[in-house]
């Protein structure tokens, strides 16, 4: 994982290798840290992702849910075909496409 904060309006996290039970915690911690500043967007780049399991998928959903709470849109970039398929099959693609709640309202938990 590498982090690029050069654009404070859309910080970037590059995820490489495996995003699984044994490796997901540092990404979740970094996401939580970045969202404390409530940037307009958070970009997760998966160009170098080789594998993801359900824990890794849960981190993506966590990023979306926490982003909804603070008004941050989570964008996935360079999504490999295998991850695109998983996101589609699990309904996460539709979840990520949901708009932010109206200002002043908190997101509801699905």
């Amino acid at each position: 994982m590498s982090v690029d904060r050069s654009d404070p309006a859309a910080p970037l996290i590059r995820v490489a290798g495996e995003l699984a039970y044994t490796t997901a915690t540092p990404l979740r911690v970094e996401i939580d840290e970045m969202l404390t500043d409530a940037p307009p967007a958070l970009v997760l780049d998966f160009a170098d992702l080789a594998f993801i399991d359900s824990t890794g998928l849960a981190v993506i959903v966590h990023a979306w849910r926490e982003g909804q709470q603070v008004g941050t849109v989570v964008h996935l970039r360079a999504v490999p075909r295998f991850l695109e398929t998983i996101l589609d099959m699990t309904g996460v693609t539709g979840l990520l496409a949901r708009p932010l709640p109206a200002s002043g309202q908190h997101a509801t938990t699905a």
Side-chain angles (χ1 to χ4, degrees):
M1 173 178 70
S2 67
V3 177
D4 180 354
R5 290 184 171 90
S6 62
D7 181 356
L12 168 69
I13 303 174
R14 289 181 185 90
V15 182
E18 296 185 359
L19 182 54
Y21 178 75
T22 57
T23 60
T25 299
L27 176 59
R28 186 179 176 122
V29 169
E30 189 63 44
I31 287 167
D32 288 345
E33 184 178 311
M34 285 191 168
L35 289 176
T36 61
D37 295 331
L42 173 63
V43 180
L44 303 176
D45 185 303
F46 293 103
D48 297 320
L49 184 71
F51 174 81
I52 190 168
D53 72 0
S54 61
T55 305
L57 188 62
V59 172
I60 295 171
V61 173
H62 170 79
W64 172 82
R65 184 178 301 123
E66 295 303 310
Q68 291 280 303
Q69 294 296 320
V70 299
T72 299
V73 175
V74 175
H75 295 288
L76 306 187
R77 184 170 83 180
V79 177
R81 183 74 182 128
F82 74 90
L83 178 55
E84 188 177 304
T85 300
I86 291 168
L87 294 172
D88 288 346
M89 288 179 13
T90 58
V92 175
T93 299
L95 185 73
L96 294 170
R98 290 184 186 176
L100 288 172
S103 134
Q105 296 178 352
H106 292 288
T108 57
T109 306

